[in-house]
Amino acid sequence: MHILAIETSCDDTCAAVSKNGEIVSETIHSQSMHDGFGGVVPEIASRGHIEKISWTVNKALSDANLAIDRIDAVACTMMPGLIGSLIVGGHFAKGLSQSIGRPLIAVNHVEAHVLSNLIDRDKRPSFPFLCLTVSGGHTQIWLAESPYRLSVLGETIDDAAGEAFDKTAKLLGLNYPGGPLIDRYASTGDPDKFRFAEPSVPGLDFSFSGLKTSVLYFLEKQSKEFIAGNINDICASVQKTIIDILLKKLTKAAKDLGITNVCIAGGVSANKGLRSELIKTGSKLGWKTFYPALNHCTDNAAMVAIAGHYKFLVNDFASLDNVPKARA
Ligand code: KG4
Ligand code: ZN
C-alpha cells in the first residue's frame, strides 16, 4: 500500500512516499527567499510552494521508482499552518487524488509531528507514550494512547519554545531561524553563567514570554563588546532555561500519568542540548526516550506519510469539502 504525502504548512515544500508504513522516498525543497526578512513571509511562502510543488512531488515519485497510478492514497497536511501555504498543498493534493481516482487523507501537522517518532521502525516508542512537541508555532505535551487517540495535556499560554529561541537570536543580531545558531553557540558555552527568569505556570502549561523579556532587559544593559565576547555563554544559559522549563513539565506529566515511553518532536527537538538532557532525565527516572532523526524534527512529509498510513488502515478519508485551516 503506497501513500504519497505532501506537506506545505510553512516554508518547506515536502513530498514523501511510503510503502506499508515504511518511507521509501522523501524530497524537501527549503525556501531561501525569506532570508533577510527576519522570519517567514506568508505571501512569499505560498508563491514559492506553487513554483516547487510539481517538481517536489515528481521527484519523490521518481526516487521511489513509482508511476503515479501505483499510489493508493494522497495524504496532505490540511492544518494548522500558514493558510496560503496550506491551500497550495491541499488543493494540489485534492486535484491529484481526483485525477488518479484515489482517496484523499487530511493530516493535522502537529499530530504528524507526534507520529514522527514512528517513522523509524527500529526505534519506536510503544503506546501509551508522551510526546513533547516543540516547534516554531507549538509547544505542547501530547498523550498518544494509539495512533488514533492523541490528546493535548498541556500547552504554551503565549510564545512557543521555537519562538523563544528565534526571538533571543534576533535580539543577539543572529539570522532567522535562530534556533540552530543558538544550539551551535551554546555547545561551547557555560549554561550556568547567566540566570534568566523561569515562569511559574500551573499544571502542564508553559509560558515563554517572561523569559523573552528577561533576555531583552539583560541584553539592553550590556555593551555590544560584552555580548560579542560572551555570546556562547549567553546562548548556553538561555538554552538551558528553555530546556529546564520544557523538561520540568514533561517530567510532571510522566509522573502524573505513570508513563515511561517519552518522546520529543518538532523543530526544537533537533536541539542537541534538549536531546541530551532528555536522555539524562530519562535514565534517572527509568524512561525509554525517543527523538526523530534530525531531518524528521523539522517539517517533512515522511511524518505526514506515517500519519496518512494509519488513517488509510481505518478508511479515514477526507471529502472534497475538506478545506485547509490555519488553526486546528
Ligand atoms: O517544526 P518546525 O520546522 O516548523 C514549525 O512547525 O514551526 O520548527 C521550526 C522551529 C524554529 O523556531 C527553529 O528555530 C527551531 O524549530 N529549531 C531549533 C533547532 N532547529 C530548529 N531550535 C533549537 N535548536 C535547534 N537545533
Ligand atoms: Zn512543524
Side-chain angles (χ1 to χ4, degrees):
M1 184 261 284
H2 291 107
I3 306 265
L4 170 67
I6 296 172
E7 150 66 44
T8 61
S9 66
C10 190
D11 59 338
D12 294 315
T13 317
C14 319
V17 175
S18 67
K19 181 181 181 184
N20 301 329
E22 298 265 10
I23 302 303
V24 287
S25 78
E26 55 183 313
T27 306
I28 177 160
H29 177 268
S30 295
Q31 301 178 354
S32 57
M33 301 88 82
H34 309 278
D35 295 355
F37 285 102
V40 175
V41 185
E43 177 65 21
I44 295 179
S46 342
R47 287 165 190 249
H49 289 307
I50 289 174
E51 281 173 20
K52 282 293 168 193
I53 190 145
S54 296
W55 176 86
T56 309
V57 167
N58 278 322
K59 173 101 171 57
L61 286 168
S62 68
D63 287 354
N65 215 3
L66 279 185
I68 187 72
D69 60 0
R70 300 275 312 282
I71 294 298
D72 297 293
V74 181
C76 184
T77 301
M78 289 290 189
M79 63 175 160
L82 300 175
I83 192 62
S85 293
L86 289 168
I87 285 172
V88 176
H91 285 259
F92 188 95
K94 276 189 192 180
L96 195 57
S97 91
Q98 281 291 291
S99 70
I100 61 174
R102 298 286 193 278
L104 175 73
I105 299 173
V107 170
N108 174 312
H109 179 82
V110 192
E111 291 182 8
H113 271 302
V114 174
L115 298 178
S116 65
N117 279 289
L118 304 179
I119 294 174
D120 188 343
R121 282 233 158 142
D122 303 328
K123 288 192 218 147
R124 283 186 171 178
S126 47
F127 292 99
F129 65 81
L130 288 176
C131 184
L132 170 73
T133 304
V134 268
S135 71
H138 300 272
T139 299
Q140 295 174 322
I141 297 178
W142 285 74
L143 169 64
E145 293 170 273
S146 82
Y148 308 106
R149 281 176 68 95
L150 305 173
S151 50
V152 178
L153 302 177
E155 61 191 327
T156 182
I157 56 170
D158 41 54
D159 291 352
E163 277 177 287
F165 275 103
D166 296 337
K167 287 179 178 172
T168 299
K170 198 169 180 183
L171 292 172
L172 289 168
L174 305 174
N175 280 339
Y176 178 89
L181 292 172
I182 298 218
D183 192 359
R184 209 167 69 212
Y185 284 115
S187 64
T188 52
D190 173 3
D192 297 313
K193 180 90 172 267
F194 305 109
R195 292 235 165 269
F196 297 103
E198 275 202 35
S200 69
V201 184
L204 296 176
D205 288 337
F206 303 90
S207 166
F208 288 98
S209 66
L211 171 62
K212 179 182 63 188
T213 311
S214 141
V215 174
L216 173 70
Y217 288 167
F218 170 81
L219 292 175
E220 273 179 353
K221 279 189 243 139
Q222 316 300 336
S223 67
K224 272 193 177 148
E225 294 70 29
F226 177 88
I227 293 172
N230 289 273
I231 190 144
N232 295 9
D233 296 339
I234 296 171
C235 288
S237 302
V238 175
Q239 178 172 296
K240 177 182 187 268
T241 313
I242 296 173
I243 293 171
D244 280 354
I245 295 171
L246 293 172
L247 288 184
K248 266 185 200 155
K249 292 298 171 107
L250 190 57
T251 302
K252 176 171 166 45
K255 282 188 177 158
D256 287 356
L257 277 82
I259 289 182
T260 52
N261 274 251
V262 182
C263 314
I264 53 175
V268 178
S269 68
N271 184 269
K272 286 195 285 298
L274 177 58
R275 290 161 92 97
S276 72
E277 285 304 317
L278 174 75
I279 295 174
K280 271 193 220 158
T281 307
S283 63
K284 239 188 286 167
L285 299 176
W287 300 346
K288 283 190 183 144
T289 52
F290 304 86
Y291 42 70
L294 283 177
N295 62 325
H296 296 143
C297 291
T298 44
D299 291 345
N300 65 89
M303 66 185 191
V304 178
I306 295 299
H309 166 78
Y310 285 108
K311 288 193 168 219
F312 187 96
L313 295 180
V314 294
N315 295 330
D316 183 359
F317 301 127
S319 77
L320 281 187
D321 300 340
N322 195 298
V323 285
K325 291 191 189 75
R327 291 181 179 278

